[in-house]
Amino acid sequence: DLRSASVAPRIFLMALIVGFGALALTLAAVGVYGVLALIVAERKREIGIRLALGASPRGLVALIVTQALLLTFSGLAAGIAIALAASPLVASQLYGVSAADPATIGAVALTLIIVSLAASAIPAGFRKRSNDDSSHTDKKRSNGGASHRRNPFPRRLRRGRRRHWNGAAAGV
């Protein structure tokens, strides 16, 4: 198999490039998801205020998804422009595919759009549900209005009588 021996390095190189391309797409998708989920999480207070003032939960999710898609499309426009500008640099390494292949660019753009939709809609929907949940007020009412918050200070740092290691009271 002289032919398979001569093609083996190219096949290995092609598999390596495909693997790194898939890894790059996965890293980009995880990065987009992380940034958009963080943006939505930072707007938790704003979402709560808008809900308290009477905004519909569906309208809030639409607002957040629309803003996330604006960010995504601006990032895609910049990324596609940079990819097209850099395409002559990699054109000599490609075989049977143009450097500015519309199918590849479209598939990557569609993947990132789907990820951005999920990254903005999932946390926005979670914020909407968590603000609609009124179970915390039921607990407060069932205990006569007593607060259920834990003391943030450890017991050893609270004021009052402290005991020494031998059991004797300190500060008396």
Side-chain angles (χ1 to χ4, degrees):
D1 282 7
L2 182 62
R3 181 178 165 186
S4 65
S6 67
V7 180
R10 282 205 178 254
I11 291 175
F12 174 72
L13 185 62
M14 183 181 64
L16 197 63
I17 290 172
V18 166
F20 280 125
L23 180 65
L25 181 61
T26 303
L27 286 174
V30 168
V32 166
Y33 185 89
V35 168
L36 289 176
L38 178 68
I39 288 171
V40 172
E42 286 178 346
R43 296 179 68 182
K44 178 175 135 178
R45 179 169 276 161
E46 175 194 346
I47 293 170
I49 291 171
R50 286 179 184 256
L51 280 171
L53 292 176
S56 71
R58 182 174 287 166
L60 282 175
V61 172
L63 173 74
I64 291 169
V65 169
T66 302
Q67 290 175 351
L69 284 177
L70 285 173
L71 285 172
T72 302
F73 284 126
S74 63
L76 280 174
I80 290 172
I82 291 171
L84 292 176
S87 64
L89 299 174
V90 295
S92 64
Q93 300 295 318
L94 301 174
Y95 177 74
V97 178
S98 70
D101 183 34
T104 304
I105 292 174
V108 170
L110 182 64
T111 301
L112 292 177
I113 289 169
I114 290 170
V115 166
S116 71
L117 279 172
S120 58
I122 291 171
F126 172 73
R127 296 290 175 230
K128 173 187 68 97
R129 282 191 303 276
S130 68
N131 287 332
D132 285 345
D133 186 18
S134 60
S135 62
H136 63 280
T137 57
D138 295 338
K139 287 181 188 175
K140 196 179 279 187
R141 288 188 195 124
S142 67
N143 196 15
S147 176
H148 286 280
R149 292 176 34 186
R150 277 187 58 204
N151 192 336
F153 297 105
R155 195 173 291 274
R156 62 184 165 79
L157 295 178
R158 294 183 195 158
R159 301 184 115 202
R161 292 177 52 147
R162 294 191 183 97
R163 300 219 174 253
H164 283 293
W165 60 272
N166 63 0
V172 180

